Amino acid sequence: MPELPFKTVPETVGARPGASASPVVGDGKSQAPRVAVASLVGTTIEYYDFTVYGTASALVLGPAFFPSGNATLSSLAAFLTFAAAFLSRPLGVVLFGTIGDRLGRRRALVISLLLMGVATVGVGLLPTYGTAGLLAPVLLVTLRLLQGVSMGGEWGGAVLLAAEHAPPGRRALYASIPQAGPSLGFLLSTAVILPILNTVGMDGFTDWAWRIPFLLSTVLVVVGLWVRTTVSESPVFTTAALRTAQAPRSASRFPLGTLLKLHPGRLLLGTGVAIGGSAVYYLTIVYSLSYGPQELGIPRNTMLTAASIGAAAGIAITLPVARLSDRIGRRPLMLAGAVGCVVWAVPMYASLSSRDGLVITGAYTVGLMLLALMFSPVAAFLPELFPARLRYTGASAAFILANTLGGGFAPLVATWLNSHWESPLVLGFYTGGLCLLSLLCLLALPETRDHEFAD
């Protein structure tokens, strides 16, 4: 698509006098496909980086950075660093939500991707415990916290940039395109890790080759930054900036504070809506990659293959589900997905007891397709709960809190549960309970498909 001419708009909210505003394309709708793809590329790279760490924590980071005579303790320590990034995500929400709601969606996304790239490549360059002693895990946790800050601003900005450029009646469709980024990032990380494992073996991977996926992030981040800097700012944000320029007192200097004051109920319920799906996602593509091989003797390649096929199936239905939600509404499909996840959670994780690759793959495929029913429309549903001037902060805060509570601590909680009850059934009951909570929160919220997005 040829580049459209830029036009200058008044200074964005919170910009210094005399500072240049972000260029904005005159016709946002004609830019919609390009912006959606750019959002997808950036989100995929961010989640590639994030998932590489999760996979590495399941396979190798425990012994390398937290050596112990007890494999369970090493895994707990590695998963604790995985959870640490979720603790720093709220800081990312505050930082990038403020930038995104005051200075622009695109600017926040460029900074978040750059931060993620620096942190991920840094992990690949770290010395291990055997070389640097206690300094190694300290540096690992520090870089992991920076990854979390970056992720705190990624999801909300990516879906907003796509949704706010979308043509009428296709908001969920365009917002769901970057929503496929987490699963694509996982598939990309698996496509890198599996060949390395098959080439050098587990010993070689544990010794040195685990660094390769982290270092490859350099190339991906450069591509992502180029893509993101070539797209236009959100037309909805531009309109909000014009209004704020005409009435400066209406601007919120601290969007999170305003959000908590004006919309605490929607923030709480929006968090609940996404909490069950977050648990399904992280237990399936992170925790089970460690649990299956270590506790049940399932080959690592079998677990990676099952999770990858399930993720691919979820991606395949993401856009059709989102398009359907533009026609019939968000809630019917999300309710169906939530009910399905409640019912299927126990059978899905019970399949691990079979130790059969085909059975596990089938169970994971059904589970991740049900997750897509919940999470395809949520990319439009959560932003539609909040007004334009608080939307970046509101959508990000709800999704990131859900990811932190339902996903970030899921591997840690699951490890503890399985240390007391040695059965994969406990994973199903734990996940099913969180999906039930999501169902109840969704029932308490209204349909948002016809919400005026420019407000």
Side-chain angles (χ1 to χ4, degrees), residues 26-279:
D27 183 1
K29 293 179 183 177
S30 63
Q31 281 272 300
R34 179 180 171 187
V35 171
V37 171
S39 295
L40 173 63
V41 170
T43 304
T44 299
I45 293 169
E46 286 252 10
Y47 274 90
Y48 164 85
D49 291 350
F50 207 73
T51 307
V52 160
Y53 187 98
T55 304
S57 68
L59 299 179
V60 70
L61 293 186
F65 288 88
F66 306 96
S68 168
N70 188 312
T72 300
L73 288 179
S74 290
S75 293
L76 274 171
F79 284 136
L80 189 58
T81 66
F82 180 80
F86 288 82
L87 290 176
S88 63
R89 280 189 177 193
L91 178 59
V93 171
V94 176
L95 173 62
F96 291 107
T98 301
I99 295 173
D101 280 330
R102 296 185 63 195
L103 302 178
R105 319 314 195 193
R106 188 182 65 169
R107 187 176 303 185
L109 285 172
V110 169
I111 297 172
S112 71
L113 183 58
L114 181 61
L115 180 61
M116 175 63 81
V118 170
T120 302
V121 174
V123 172
L125 296 173
L126 283 180
T128 61
Y129 185 91
T131 302
L134 288 175
L135 179 62
V138 169
L139 291 174
L140 179 68
V141 172
T142 300
L143 291 174
R144 184 61 179 163
L145 290 172
L146 290 178
Q147 279 192 322
V149 171
S150 171
M151 289 302 298
E154 169 60 30
W155 184 86
V159 299
L160 276 189
L161 199 62
E164 291 182 343
H165 275 87
R170 295 191 177 185
R171 190 183 302 148
L173 175 64
Y174 280 84
S176 72
I177 293 175
Q179 181 72 336
S183 292
L184 282 174
F186 169 70
L187 291 176
L188 182 59
S189 71
T190 303
V192 171
I193 290 172
L194 269 181
I196 295 173
L197 275 171
N198 292 333
T199 301
V200 304
M202 192 61 199
D203 289 340
F205 190 82
T206 302
D207 185 39
W208 62 273
W210 63 270
R211 300 178 183 275
I212 296 175
F214 290 95
L215 298 178
L216 284 177
S217 179
T218 303
V219 177
L220 297 175
V221 169
V222 169
V223 173
L225 287 173
W226 174 77
V227 170
R228 283 196 166 170
T229 54
T230 60
V231 300
S232 61
E233 181 56 86
S234 157
V236 175
F237 172 79
T238 303
T239 300
L242 285 167
R243 292 174 179 171
T244 303
Q246 295 167 359
R249 292 185 179 181
S250 67
S252 173
R253 293 186 176 276
F254 186 51
L256 182 61
T258 306
L259 177 73
L260 293 173
K261 179 180 178 180
L262 299 180
H263 306 285
R266 289 205 166 191
L267 175 60
L268 183 62
L269 290 172
T271 300
V273 165
I275 200 169
S278 297

